[in-house]
Amino acid sequence: MTLDLQSTNWAAQINLKNLPQHVAIIMDGNGRWARKRGMPRLFGHQRGVEALKKAIGFALDVGIPYLSAWAFSTANWRRPETEISGLITILRRTLSKDLAEFHDRDIQLKVIGSKVGLPDDLITMINRAEDLTKDNKKLTLLINFNYDGRTDILEATKKIAQKIKSGDISLEDITEDLFSSHTMTTGIPDPDLLIRTSGVVRLSNYMMWQCTFTEFVFLEKNWPDFTEQDFCTALQDFQKCGRNFGQISA
Ligand code: FPP
């Protein structure tokens, strides 16, 4: 993975002082992209990694501090074995071949999701990558793998219920902040902007707790065709919208 720096002057198109702190991406349409070219679905995912690399490079370039990318949903276990093992191989490669570059570029890597069902060696690689990059500051990259929003909410609820049962906290202690701190994204600000490609307009059980006030940008193109300019245009849309968090706009 080479995270090329772009020579484009993004500041001419977007206000670099009003950037979303956290952008979440649903990288959709890899399968359709491959099918259109008569190629196996996995080829679409492999090209999807290249598009993700562009998105990471762009985030570094303009100074977005948190980027999330949904690489494997818990529902994806229902896919053919070859596709599942191919996606696991892509993650393994990212955590081995690309790790040094992430570290050099000051990227903190987090793999968010359930570890249930993941191969032991992959869990070891995840732990090693997270540990190596834990003090990096420029960009926190969250790869959602074996992740879905409802499981995240259920697991947080169980942890809180357990603490009530053991007397560590009381019912009155349950606040939004406390709940957030028990989700898989604890310590990470909620996404300000969510981008989904492939023309599909839904959240599909992604970060449902976290995306309450998130602005959504839906793009027609499939994920492997996503470019830095598409990211920039999504930021322009984000900067045009007036976010009021339920209050009256100024
Ligand atoms: C959805 O498109 C995409 C996925 C389920 C996987 C996304 C994974 C990548 C882009 C690879 C990056 C992964 C890592 C670990 C760095 P789809 O296949 O459902 O598309 P379709 O709706 O056209 O079939």
Side-chain angles (χ1 to χ4, degrees), residues 155-179:
E155 290 302 316
T157 307
K158 284 185 206 166
K159 283 186 217 157
I160 293 168
Q162 193 60 49
K163 285 187 182 170
I164 291 186
K165 205 169 153 193
S166 62
D168 288 348
I169 59 171
S170 67
L171 208 54
E172 291 68 38
D173 293 326
I174 302 178
T175 60
E176 288 192 9
D177 284 346
L178 180 111
F179 195 90

Side-chain angles (χ1 to χ4, degrees), residues 4-17 19 54-64 226-236 239:
D4 298 324
L5 278 181
Q6 296 293 302
S7 50
T8 315
N9 178 16
W10 299 116
Q13 296 188 57
I14 44 169
N15 177 0
L16 298 182
K17 294 201 169 66
L19 291 172
K54 288 182 192 166
I56 297 169
F58 178 84
L60 284 170
D61 220 4
V62 299
I64 292 168
F226 186 83
T227 64
E228 294 88 352
Q229 184 57 55
D230 292 322
F231 205 153
C232 182
T233 306
L235 293 186
Q236 284 176 333
Q239 293 189 336

Side-chain angles (χ1 to χ4, degrees), residues 21 34 88 98 101 147 154 159 190 202 221 230 234 249:
Q21 292 302 287
I88 289 176
D98 301 326
E101 185 172 11
Y147 177 86
L154 282 177
K159 283 186 217 157
D190 288 342
R202 55 175 178 253
K221 59 167 66 177
D230 292 322
S249 304

